[in-house]
Amino acid sequence: MLSWLQRGQSRSGEWRSALASDASLEQAIQDLDQQASLRGFGPADLAVVFVSTSFASELSRVLPLLQRRFQATHWLGCCGGGVIGVDRHGQSCELEQQPAVGLSLIRLPGAMLQPFHIDLQSLPDLDGPREPWCQLVGRSHGDAVNGLLLLVDPGSSGIKDLLGGLDYAFAGVPKVGGIAAPHRGAGGSLLFQDKPCTGAIGLAIGGDWIVQAVVAQGCRPIGPVFEVQEARRNVVLKLQADGQEAAGGQAPVTCLQQVIAQLDAADRELVRHSLFVGLASNSFSLSAESGDDFLVRAIVGVDPRNGAIAVADSIRVGQRLQFHLRDGRTSRAELQHLLEQQRRTRLPPLGAFCFACVGRGRSLYGEPDVDSGLCRTTYPRLPIGGLFCSGEIGPVHGVTHLHGFTASWSFLCPKEADQPSAAPPAASSTPAQG
């Protein structure tokens, strides 16, 4: 850890992370205080805290207890179905469904850090001006923002409008985060400055630091690419493959049956519980391309009367669609590829946050610590923090989405001297309504 931290210090920043697991909240926090990675670390600019729902009834005590031992200007975090971090031996660790507290202390000279708390019941108009959306995160139109960290209370309404509005206000700016885990305790699932809260919280990052996003969807395409011939809201009524002669297309279930007939026995078994659809980002070609071209969405229903399928997103006529399967082998290979691509083409990160679906981890891979381990293989001794979410937030093709079954990574990197800050688009543009 020390050799990496020295390199981080030479780039004018420092990130320390620690992870503790104890059934007692006080003991877990005392354990953090005693770990070498945090010991002696002076005032931080930012402290990010992730706790498991095992401490849901004690959320109001988490920040006060931590703030007695650690100093930071800004505090935020939330509870999740598990906590991701680095243990006292420097190994990546994913503590699922058990007591855990993770703490990242970050020092960022030259950074613009603006924490914000948003009431999702009173969002600005998506057809209105951009300025009210900028003000939600404490910025004005024209202020440079290089990335947003975003955490949302579970069960909140208006999440899709929030993401659309933030994309409207800060187009091209990476926005990464997750939905906290629900719990039976009183109050919200978010931690902001000194107490729990509801709604949405986050941090706008600018100045000499940028956010780079990696979103691993964990699926691979099967069968041909179809074109949507008929749809109503989120329901696909008719599909047509390239070269298909059926006038007006065929029922989606019929198309799926034809795809399944071409699969091997292992993939046919996966269809029973791991079938998704991919929605293409454009409609220019029906040729099968890489899975990166698709936004993966769950199938939420089938109508046996007409063979229609309902998808967890809006559908438009002319859109390309391809069925996908999700499995541990594919997820592992995809994340490994994306991380290696990140390492080859982007700046070395100071640290990273991982927001992983509660459906990943052991239930996907059959073993622990795979997602975090792949990151630490790509970036040895990189400080990381994160949690298992009830929904993950991250960009695909420049548009921010709420995902399921993904691992959304946020890498914090120093901005190159000649690299411009992200700037808002021209004031004449308005957000598209989905």
Side-chain angles (χ1 to χ4, degrees):
M1 175 79 74
L2 290 179
S3 62
W4 189 93
L5 287 171
Q6 288 167 0
R7 291 199 296 273
Q9 290 169 349
S10 71
R11 300 182 70 86
S12 302
E14 191 170 0
W15 180 315
R16 305 274 190 105
S17 289
L19 183 65
S21 59
D22 194 282
S24 163
L25 178 62
E26 290 91 342
Q27 186 60 47
I29 291 175
Q30 181 178 334
D31 186 17
L32 291 176
D33 192 25
Q34 294 174 347
Q35 291 191 32
S37 58
L38 298 185
R39 189 181 305 137
F41 190 76
D45 297 309
L46 173 65
V48 179
V49 185
F50 295 124
V51 301
S52 66
T53 52
S54 301
F55 297 122
S57 62
E58 300 182 87
L59 281 185
S60 62
R61 303 175 60 226
V62 170
L63 291 176
L65 286 172
L66 284 167
Q67 289 167 354
R68 292 175 190 173
R69 297 175 179 269
F70 304 99
Q71 291 181 294
T73 304
H74 305 300
W75 290 79
L76 69 154
C78 66
C79 66
V83 180
I84 301 169
V86 179
D87 66 18
R88 62 171 60 250
H89 305 294
Q91 301 298 313
S92 62
C93 193
E94 300 172 12
L95 301 178
E96 305 177 55
Q97 305 300 325
Q98 62 179 292
V101 180
L103 176 63
S104 293
L105 298 177
I106 308 170
R107 191 177 292 139
L108 297 171
M112 182 285 294
L113 301 177
Q114 178 63 60
F116 56 84
H117 177 213
I118 298 174
D119 180 2
L120 296 182
Q121 302 302 314
S122 55
L123 294 175
D125 189 347
L126 279 168
D127 292 320
R130 180 180 294 109
E131 185 65 22
W133 287 98
C134 295
Q135 293 174 350
L136 278 183
V137 302
R139 310 306 295 161
S140 297
H141 177 60
D143 288 346
V145 174
N146 302 329
L148 291 173
L149 185 66
L150 188 63
L151 303 172
V152 183
D153 197 57
S156 299
S157 60
I159 297 176
K160 184 177 181 180
D161 287 345
L162 174 65
L163 299 183
L166 292 179
D167 272 355
Y168 174 36
F170 305 103
V173 172
K175 305 161 189 74
V176 184
I179 311 299
H183 61 81
R184 297 181 179 180
S189 298
L190 307 178
L191 299 169
F192 187 69
Q193 301 298 34
D194 61 355
K195 59 186 177 182
C197 65
T198 59
I201 63 172
L203 186 77
I205 301 171
D208 294 338
W209 298 88
I210 62 173
V211 169
Q212 295 173 344
V214 170
V215 178
Q217 301 186 85
C219 287
R220 57 185 166 89
I222 55 172
V225 180
F226 297 91
E227 182 180 289
V228 177
Q229 296 292 301
E230 186 178 348
R232 186 176 301 115
R233 295 178 181 172
N234 71 319
V235 178
V236 184
L237 299 170
K238 296 290 183 180
L239 292 174
Q240 184 162 336
D242 191 20
Q244 192 177 73
E245 298 180 357
Q250 294 179 306
V253 169
T254 301
C255 296
L256 176 59
Q257 290 170 340
Q258 295 168 357
V259 171
I260 293 174
Q262 303 300 315
L263 300 178
D264 60 27
D267 281 352
R268 284 199 296 272
E269 179 62 25
L270 282 175
V271 168
R272 299 177 57 183
H273 53 79
S274 300
L275 179 67
F276 297 80
V277 297
L279 304 177
S281 58
N282 63 67
S283 304
F284 298 119
S285 171
L286 286 178
S287 62
E289 302 169 13
S290 73
D292 295 343
D293 294 324
F294 294 90
L295 173 66
V296 175
R297 285 295 185 247
I299 296 175
V300 297
V302 174
D303 190 338
R305 297 170 300 176
N306 57 9
I309 61 173
V311 177
D313 209 331
S314 57
I315 304 293
R316 66 179 185 274
V317 172
Q319 192 167 21
R320 294 185 301 144
L321 180 153
Q322 190 172 21
F323 293 103
H324 280 64
L325 289 179
R326 171 178 169 266
D327 64 85
R329 177 178 57 83
T330 298
S331 297
R332 189 191 299 259
E334 181 203 25
L335 180 56
Q336 188 170 17
H337 166 73
L338 291 173
L339 291 172
E340 181 60 28
Q341 184 179 54
Q342 170 85 8
R343 187 191 65 81
R344 291 196 313 267
T345 62
R346 302 295 183 89
L347 295 169
L350 181 68
F353 289 117
C354 176
F355 301 93
C357 177
V358 292
R360 292 176 75 95
R362 289 178 183 269
S363 63
L364 174 62
Y365 297 112
E367 59 180 302
D369 311 330
V370 173
D371 285 335
S372 60
L374 288 171
C375 182
R376 297 270 289 182
T377 298
T378 306
Y379 297 105
R381 294 186 291 277
L382 182 74
I384 60 174
L387 80 162
F388 287 93
C389 306
S390 300
E392 309 79 59
I393 296 168
V396 173
H397 297 293
V399 179
T400 308
H401 297 278
L402 178 62
H403 304 275
F405 303 103
T406 67
S408 291
W409 287 85
S410 174
F411 291 90
L412 186 61
C413 305
K415 186 176 67 176
E416 291 181 335
D418 58 349
Q419 181 178 17
S421 297
S428 59
S429 65
T430 57
Q433 298 293 310

